[in-house]
Each structure stands twice: as structure tokens, then as C-alpha cells.
């Protein structure tokens, strides 16, 4: 049986500098989908000049950030001393744990001739016991993201987080979670069975698609009911389409979100701000600015 749609909505503009950003989650209907509590869509754009400003250094606590770069080159710095770049198709994952400061800069991919940039940032809520752990970091290049060609060369699926059949992402799972990028050629279809009580949503970044016999527009976020059932994605266009499908088991602990922090109580939010202002999250040391 096919799953029913709970609601659909579009994001609100939340631009940073020259980046055109749509805030998809949280929205007026949902605060979370499984462990995912935040999604920004950095819309496709032809970038003519190098971005030197980035997002600027800012703190996080209680979550893991996940940046998925469809097109471009993303550079990461953090106060734990991590620094890396990933290119088109790559992922930056950072467990903020008990507190960290990071900075990311998205530019066009220096390894290709394309000036196109296009990306997503997710926040993954951590279980309370993991929120107290030290930060961790992974940089995963596109070639290392698990990928499988669909039957009949009708498209492919990438497993950004979680697992699918024999594919497993290197990103740690602290609860049931999945994040897939599904690419369907013209006229193709793909279906997936979702277990009972699983929270799941789809996002259509650039093209319309048919989800369980209903047509949704580009830019729509679609959440489904929590009953066991099938999600069928169909492409009736004359070009390929992309769908981001994500979710997982419900987060059962309290969710208190304020600014860059997601904790389990208002007291923990106050502690997060106090520790940040006390300098306990450290400081980013950018290359060339190291102490002698």
C-alpha cells in the first residue's frame, strides 16, 4: 500500500551573502523528520567570483551538521583543528557534541570547468548522551559516497547517511536515519518500502516529480504519514529529475532549539550559551594564522 501525504510546503528565503538559501526545515508544519531538525537548500547558482567570506565562524552544540555538495567546492574549518575541502558530490559531517565552532565556504569546483554551486545543509539531532561527547569530523569526497545504479540504467541512488540494501554510509548512526539522493532519468520510476512509525519526507530541489501518483513542484517539501507503506517516485518529464529522501525513527527526547544549539531543556540551552561565551568551544586557527 502506498503511503499518504501528510502535507507539502515550500521553504522561506534565508540568504547568506550572495548565496540564495531556502529554509526547508523546520517549517510551520514540522519541527523534525526523524533525527533531522534543519534543512537549508543552497539553490543552484552560477558563481562568477571566489567567495572569501564563507558563513563566518559560529558555534554548534547538541547536533551533527551535514553539508551535501551537489556542485561546488566546500571548505571546512573548526575549532578542533579540522580543515578539509570536498568537491562536487562530497559530504562534510561534523558532530558538534558538547560544543565546537566551525566555518564553511562554498565556491565553484576548482577541479572542473563548471561555475555552478548547489548544496544542502542538514542538522541531525543527537541523543542526549551523545550531546555530551567530544566533537568529531568526517570529510567524504564524492567518489566515496555509496552509490548504486538502478535497474535498467533508469537512474541511481546515493546513500548520504544510513544504509540502503547493501550500501552503507561511513557517517555514524546514533539512531535510525537515512538520507538518499535519488536520480531518475526521463520516464523512469523508483519505489521504496518504509517501515511502520518511520518519519520520512522528500524534497524536490530543481524539478517537479510524481510521488505516489500526486504531482509536486520543484522546491516542494513533502512529508508522508507514519504507517508502513511504499513511496513511488515517477519522472514524467523529458529530462532527469533529482529527489532528496530522508528521515528515520522518531526522536523521543525533548527538543529545545535556539539559534545554533539543539538541546533537551532550556537549562541546557543556557549552559550552551554560557560555555560558548566563556570560550570553552575553542577558536578556529586558519592556515597562515598559526601562532609562532
Amino acid at each position: 500500500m502506498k503511503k499518504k501525504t501528510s502535507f507539502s510546503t515550500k521553504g522561506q528565503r534565508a540568504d547568506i551573502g550572495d548565496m540564495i538559501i531556502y529554509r526547508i526545515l523546520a517549517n510551520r508544519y514540522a519541527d523534525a523528520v526523524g533525527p533531522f531538525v534543519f534543512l537549508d537548500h543552497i539553490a543552484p547558482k552560477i558563481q562568477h567570483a571566489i567567495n572569501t567570506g564563507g558563513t563566518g565562524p559560529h558555534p554548534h552544540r547538541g547536533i551533527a551538521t551535514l553539508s551535501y555538495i551537489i556542485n561546488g567546492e566546500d571548505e571546512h574549518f573548526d575549532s578542533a583543528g579540522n580543515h578539509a575541502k570536498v568537491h562536487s558530490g562530497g559530504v562534510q559531517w561534523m558532530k558538534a557534541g558538547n560544543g565546537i565552532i566551525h566555518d564553511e565556504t562554498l565556491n565553484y569546483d576548482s577541479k572542473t570547468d563548471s561555475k555552478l554551486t548547489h548544496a544542502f545543509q542538514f542538522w541531525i539531532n543527537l541523543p542526549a548522551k551523545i550531546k555530551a561527547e567530544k566533537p568529531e569530523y568526517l570529510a567524504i569526497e564524492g567518489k566515496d559516497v555509496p552509490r548504486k545504479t538502478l535497474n535498467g540504467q533508469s537512474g541511481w541512488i546515493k546513500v548520504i547517511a544510513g544504509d540502503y540494501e547493501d550500501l552503507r554510509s561511513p557517517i555514524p548512526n546514533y539512531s535510525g536515519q537515512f538520507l538518499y539522493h535519488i536520480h531518475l532519468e526521463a520516464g523512469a520510476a523508483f519505489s521504496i518500502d518504509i517501515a511502520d512509525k518511520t518519519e520520512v519526507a522528500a524534497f524536490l530541489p530543481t524539478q517537479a516529480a510524481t510521488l505516489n501518483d500526486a504531482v509536486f513542484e520543484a522546491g516542494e517539501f513533502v512529508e508522508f504519514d507514519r504507517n508502513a507503506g511504499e513511496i513511488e517516485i515517477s519522472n514524467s518529464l523529458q529530462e532527469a529529475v533529482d529527489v532528496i529522501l530522508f528521515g528515520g525513527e522518531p526522536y523521543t527526547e525533548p527538543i529545545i532549539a535556539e539559534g545554533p544549539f539543539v538541546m533537551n531543556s532550556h537549562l541546557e540551552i543556557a549552559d550552551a550559551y554560557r560555555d560558548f561565551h566563556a570560550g570553552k568551544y575553542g577558536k578556529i586557527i586558519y592556515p597562515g594564522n598559526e601562532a609562532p
Side-chain angles (χ1 to χ4, degrees), residues 197-215:
K197 299 181 181 179
T198 300
E199 299 179 356
V200 57
F203 177 62
L204 310 180
T206 55
Q207 300 104 342
T210 301
L211 307 177
N212 284 354
D213 305 317
V215 178

Side-chain angles (χ1 to χ4, degrees), residues 75-247:
E75 186 170 20
H76 169 100
F77 302 90
D78 67 43
S79 57
N82 299 301
H83 171 224
K85 290 182 181 179
V86 301
H87 302 83
S88 299
V91 179
Q92 300 269 21
W93 176 87
M94 182 188 74
K95 184 180 82 176
N98 60 9
I100 197 168
I101 296 171
H102 83 144
D103 186 5
E104 284 189 75
T105 303
L106 179 64
N107 279 300
Y108 55 76
D109 195 334
S110 64
K111 293 187 174 182
T112 70
D113 294 329
S114 174
K115 301 296 184 184
L116 181 65
T117 57
H118 184 199
F120 301 89
Q121 185 172 83
F122 292 84
W123 293 2
I124 302 170
N125 201 2
L126 299 174
K129 63 181 181 180
I130 306 298
K131 292 179 187 290
E133 294 183 352
K134 292 182 179 180
E136 296 180 14
Y137 170 74
L138 284 174
I140 306 167
E141 282 286 19
K143 63 181 178 59
D144 297 318
V145 175
R147 168 176 161 158
K148 173 177 287 191
T149 300
L150 301 178
N151 292 338
Q153 302 295 312
S154 59
W156 45 257
I157 181 171
K158 287 184 179 180
V159 179
I160 313 303
D163 53 63
Y164 173 77
E165 295 183 347
D166 58 336
L167 303 180
R168 179 175 293 274
S169 168
I171 290 172
N173 289 328
Y174 300 112
S175 64
Q177 65 176 18
F178 57 89
L179 170 54
Y180 306 142
H181 178 179
I182 299 160
H183 179 87
L184 292 180
E185 300 297 338
F190 169 83
S191 64
I192 184 170
D193 290 322
I194 304 296
D196 191 40
K197 299 181 181 179
T198 300
E199 299 179 356
V200 57
F203 177 62
L204 310 180
T206 55
Q207 300 104 342
T210 301
L211 307 177
N212 284 354
D213 305 317
V215 178
F216 294 93
E217 299 176 352
E220 283 200 80
F221 167 94
V222 184
E223 188 172 281
F224 298 88
D225 67 23
R226 299 182 185 182
N227 298 320
E230 177 188 33
I231 296 176
E232 181 185 60
I233 304 169
S234 303
N235 178 13
S236 61
L237 303 181
Q238 299 303 307
E239 60 180 342
V241 302
D242 293 277
V243 178
I244 303 297
L245 191 71
F246 65 99

